[in-house]
Amino acid sequence: MTLSKDKIDGFIRADTYRVLSKGFSYPDENNISEMVSIVEELKGSPHLDGILSSYLEKIDSTIEIGEVQKEYSRLFLKGTIPICESSYNLSLDVIPNVSAFYRAFGLSPKSGESPDSLPYELEFASILSLKTALAENQDNEIIAKDAYRKFLKEHLAEFVKRFSDRVEKAGPHLFYKTIAEFLKDLIEKEIREYS
């Protein structure tokens, strides 16, 4: 069975979001290992464009677990840069709205974790991309694409722009500089494509 370009792109997009979700999660050995595994798998794909390939090479070459853990603490745990959308969007309905998206697709965040955290939102974008690629009929594909478009517009677009700008201004380690720039470029590209 030959996959269409749209389906291949959907699988690549899903894995790209997973890399970024793992990259903005606490960099314990498990998250780093999963991220490296996905990066290696993606780098082996003949379907990557040059920009994605370049970012993956930079990510792969800048992962130093001790340094990345120290930098994660400095940037995100000590309150310098909030990693939740509600810190950037003062609307009172951010968390209920994000939670409604998750529930519509049968998902919920782990107990005690914020559903509007960047890793959760990126993981959800990955799931929507995967659902689009795996859709067995046009109706299901339309539903997944529509949800993805709305989620991009309502949640990721402004959040990622503000978040990435703050990361850049903090003078981060090359790993975080790279993934923040990659994330911002990806979301801008997706907004243009899905507008």
Side-chain angles (χ1 to χ4, degrees):
M1 178 179 158
T2 304
L3 294 175
S4 70
K5 181 176 176 355
D6 283 347
K7 294 219 180 267
I8 291 168
D9 288 348
F11 288 124
I12 289 172
R13 182 181 312 108
D15 279 349
T16 300
Y17 277 120
R18 285 185 59 223
V19 165
L20 292 165
S21 175
K22 294 296 178 189
F24 287 110
S25 296
Y26 182 77
D28 60 25
E29 286 186 31
N30 186 50
N31 282 330
I32 294 291
S33 176
E34 285 183 44
M35 184 178 58
V36 168
S37 176
I38 300 164
V39 166
E40 291 302 320
E41 184 180 320
L42 280 169
K43 283 174 34 181
S45 171
H47 304 286
L48 292 186
D49 66 32
I51 294 169
L52 178 55
S53 184
S54 174
Y55 275 122
L56 293 173
E57 286 294 334
K58 281 185 191 176
I59 289 168
D60 199 23
S61 69
T62 60
I63 298 172
E64 303 160 16
I65 192 161
E67 289 300 313
V68 172
Q69 285 175 335
K70 281 192 262 182
E71 188 67 346
Y72 186 92
S73 292
R74 179 182 81 85
L75 294 172
F76 309 122
L77 295 181
K78 293 182 179 173
T80 308
I81 302 171
I83 202 157
C84 292
E85 181 185 1
S86 54
S87 296
Y88 300 88
N89 178 346
L90 299 180
S91 170
L92 295 177
D93 65 348
V94 170
I95 292 174
N97 191 301
V98 168
S99 297
F101 269 101
Y102 298 163
R103 280 191 308 276
F105 286 87
L107 306 168
S108 62
K110 293 178 195 169
S111 179
E113 302 246 359
S114 183
D116 69 326
S117 73
L118 185 59
Y120 268 89
E121 290 195 17
L122 295 174
E123 192 67 33
F124 184 64
S126 172
I127 289 167
L128 290 176
S129 297
L130 196 56
K131 284 189 171 289
T132 300
L134 293 172
E136 293 181 5
N137 59 54
Q138 191 172 16
D139 289 343
N140 288 347
E141 185 177 350
I142 289 169
I143 290 167
K145 277 185 176 179
D146 187 52
Y148 178 68
R149 181 181 305 112
K150 286 179 182 175
F151 195 73
L152 277 170
K153 182 181 176 194
E154 293 176 20
H155 294 284
L156 289 173
E158 193 60 30
F159 175 25
V160 165
K161 181 183 179 313
R162 289 179 176 183
F163 173 81
S164 297
D165 288 347
R166 290 201 52 189
V167 171
E168 183 182 331
K169 287 177 185 164
H173 178 278
L174 186 56
F175 173 78
Y176 286 109
K177 180 180 182 346
T178 301
I179 65 171
E181 181 182 299
F182 183 20
L183 175 60
K184 187 175 180 180
D185 288 351
L186 173 67
I187 297 300
E188 287 173 355
K189 175 184 160 278
E190 294 295 291
I191 293 291
R192 285 190 305 273
E193 189 171 316
Y194 284 88
S195 292

